[in-house]
Amino acid sequence: MLPFSAAVRQAGFAATGSPRHDHLFSSFSWQGAAPLSLKALRKVLGEFPEHVYRAKGFLYLKDCPQRRFVLHLVGSRLDIQLQGPGRGKRSRPATWW
């Protein structure tokens, strides 16, 4: 399984150039096997080009591996919030769509 940053580059969302797709919109999905570093995650998300408009997903962070977080990225606005108690069971450390 590719690390998130490598999967993003392979999907064509590198910081330079255009996305690789034949349609007006494209999507990318990734699932990880380990909790993510918040610092590394912010770095990768900060390197997204302007044409990446939206990202959302569920994730677990290394600093708090038993708690599930919800990520929303719209344009340049990034929001990572702790998911409320009793919502969702831990199945995978990170899921993006």
Side-chain angles (χ1 to χ4, degrees):
M1 182 174 305
L2 288 174
F4 181 66
S5 59
V8 167
R9 284 190 300 277
Q10 185 179 31
F13 294 112
T16 59
S18 299
R20 295 184 328 221
H21 59 78
D22 296 327
H23 306 287
L24 184 57
F25 295 99
S26 64
S27 65
F28 164 74
S29 181
W30 179 82
Q31 291 185 345
L36 302 172
S37 158
L38 181 58
K39 181 178 178 180
L41 175 65
R42 285 180 189 236
K43 181 179 184 307
V44 169
L45 294 175
E47 293 172 354
F48 276 9
E50 291 181 16
H51 62 263
V52 175
Y53 178 72
R54 184 171 186 186
K56 61 182 181 174
F58 301 103
L59 59 128
Y60 291 88
L61 299 173
K62 285 183 180 179
D63 292 338
C64 194
Q66 299 305 316
R67 306 295 301 266
R68 185 162 123 165
F69 292 82
V70 179
L71 176 138
H72 293 279
L73 173 73
V74 178
S76 62
R77 185 176 151 255
L78 173 63
D79 185 36
I80 300 174
Q81 293 187 0
L82 181 63
Q83 189 174 25
R87 297 183 62 196
K89 295 181 180 178
R90 183 176 176 144
S91 58
R92 291 190 179 266
T95 302
W96 304 85
W97 66 92

